[in-house]
Each structure stands twice: as C-alpha cells, then as structure tokens.
Amino acid sequence: MPATVIDHPLVQHKLTHMRMKETPTQDFRRLLREISHLLCYEVTRNLELTTTRIETPLMETESPVLAGKKLVFASILRAGNGLLEGMLELVPSARVAHIGLYRDPKTLEAVEYYFKAPAQMDERLTIVVDPMLATANSAIAAVERLKKRGANRMVFVCLLAAPEGVERFSKAHPDVPIFTASIDDGLNEKSYILPGLGDAGDRMYGTK
Ligand code: PRP
Ligand code: URA
C-alpha cells in the first residue's frame, strides 16, 4: 500500500524549518507540535460519527459526535512523543500507548525497553506516531507488538519516510496505511534519512 503524502502548504513550510540545521531546539519542538495538529486533522478525516441529542440556547437538535470507543495514539519513544503531545491537544480524550524502542546503532535492530497499552485494543483505532521511518525496523516492531496486544485497526503517521522504509513497512504490514509529510531521497551509510532532518530525538530534546 503506497504512503499518503500530506502535502498541505503549511506542513511543507514548517517541515522546511525543521530540516534547517540552525533551527534551535525550542523552535524544532514548537514546529513539530504545530505539524502534529495538521497531520492529526488529515489522519482523522474519516473517523466515524454518530449523533447525540443536545439543547442549544434556542432549541433541541441532533448533533454529530465521534462514534465508538476512544481512539489510541501509540507513541514510539522518544521522538514519537513530539507528535503525540500535539495530537492529544486535538483529541484530548484519546488513550495512549507507549512503546519504548531504540535503534541499535550497529545492527539497526529495534530494541524494546518499555511497553504499556490501554485495554480493549481490538475495539479501537490505533494511530501509531513516530517522526522518522528510516529502515522501518522500529515501526515494524512497534506495530507487531501492538498487534500481539490485540490492535487490529492501525495507521502509521510520520514526518519523514525513506522509500526503503515505506517498502519494507508495507511488505511487513500491508494492512497498515502510512501517512507522511515527505518521502525523502533515501538513506545514508548509517541509515539516516537524506536530506532528512538529523536525529529527531536529539533535535527535540537537545541531547548530543
Ligand atoms: C529514531 C526514530 C525512529 C527510528 C527510525 O529513534 O524516532 O524510532 O529512529 O529508524 P528506523 O526506521 O531505522 O528504525 P531512535 O532509535 O533514534 O530513538 P529515540 O527516539 O529514543 O532518539
Ligand atoms: N532516526 C532519526 O532520528 N533520523 C533518521 O534520519 C533516521 C533514524
């Protein structure tokens, strides 16, 4: 399944500023939060609605509200939290799963160090968030873990994806659509995305 690129001008403009190496940590975090609002808006476009009876100051009426169980945002730590926080501002009632994974710098395998997810995952839409889809090892492992926990309706949202990552992820999880703000050119010899934005976690938190 090909990835959907969210090419909204505001997303693309903000992303350019995030890529710039001179963008300081506080601006990087703010831009990520702002983009997360716009990505969340696009990704939740097809959520199901039902109606509820309400009273305005003038009359009773049927009005739309979200249907079904609360959705889940699943954040791949650390950098996923940058997307998570902004998305929670738009959907404050969402449940949250955390998947602690880091990419071993030598093997590039995803190493799990934490997992916590809400109950009844099988009845909820899960929106998995991580700014970077490089080799896709982390995203593939996270989605596998969530499937084991019962999740059966997922989408994966990132800022930047490498074409290799999109291909590997789609092969491993053809049932999980990818939404991204950009499909970049490829990976360098250390499997960093090019042109990319560097190490998302380090840039968010000022580590390194
Ligand atoms: C980054 C990023 C993804 C992963 C992508 O996390 O946030 O989780 O790398 O690379 P992959 O597609 O090749 O797996 P990192 O491992 O640097 O951890 P961090 O978020 O804690 O900095
Ligand atoms: N993880 C990052 O943070 N950046 C990349 O370019 C690749 C993986």
Side-chain angles (χ1 to χ4, degrees):
M1 185 184 296
T4 301
V5 177
I6 298 172
D7 56 1
H8 190 290
L10 286 177
V11 171
Q12 296 304 317
H13 178 84
K14 288 172 194 297
L15 182 54
T16 295
H17 283 271
M18 292 187 75
R19 290 183 190 273
M20 290 159 63
K21 66 177 182 191
E22 63 271 26
T23 298
T25 302
Q26 62 175 358
D27 292 346
F28 189 91
R29 271 206 296 264
R30 175 182 51 78
L31 288 160
L32 183 55
R33 201 180 67 246
E34 291 169 0
I35 288 187
S36 71
H37 291 160
L38 298 163
L39 297 182
C40 186
Y41 181 78
E42 289 291 342
V43 166
T44 54
R45 183 175 279 288
N46 294 321
L47 287 185
E48 257 180 60
L49 290 172
T50 180
T51 59
T52 187
R53 188 110 198 128
I54 61 161
E55 237 181 291
T56 75
L58 301 178
M59 61 177 284
E60 275 199 11
T61 184
E62 285 286 323
S63 204
V65 286
L66 293 174
K69 284 232 175 284
K70 307 270 185 288
L71 62 81
V72 176
F73 291 124
S75 169
I76 304 180
L77 303 176
R78 288 176 297 174
N81 276 5
L83 288 174
L84 167 71
E85 282 166 25
M87 292 197 180
L88 276 175
E89 285 170 11
L90 286 201
V91 193
S93 61
R95 303 304 191 233
V96 177
H98 289 97
I99 305 130
L101 290 176
Y102 70 85
R103 194 168 83 142
D104 183 286
K106 287 217 175 78
T107 65
L108 299 177
E109 288 305 315
V111 183
E112 183 178 312
Y113 59 87
Y114 186 79
F115 182 84
K116 193 91 178 170
Q120 296 164 303
M121 293 291 286
D122 56 329
E123 294 174 40
R124 304 174 189 277
L125 169 69
T126 300
I127 299 178
V128 185
V129 296
D130 188 331
M132 313 301 273
L133 185 71
T135 65
N137 284 345
S138 309
I140 290 170
V143 168
E144 258 163 33
R145 192 69 170 80
L146 289 161
K147 282 183 175 172
K148 270 193 202 144
R149 190 69 159 67
N152 53 23
R153 251 185 335 134
M154 279 185 269
V155 298
F156 179 80
V157 184
C158 60
L159 264 191
L160 301 188
E164 302 87 317
V166 171
E167 198 180 324
R168 289 193 65 230
F169 183 87
S170 304
K171 263 201 190 122
H173 297 296
D175 53 322
V176 181
I178 301 170
F179 290 83
T180 182
S182 173
I183 300 182
D184 274 16
D185 297 343
L187 297 173
N188 73 5
E189 67 291 349
K190 290 186 174 162
S191 289
Y192 275 85
I193 297 174
L194 293 176
L197 53 71
D199 186 301
D202 284 344
R203 293 202 63 193
M204 273 176 62
Y205 293 117
T207 44
K208 202 170 234 163

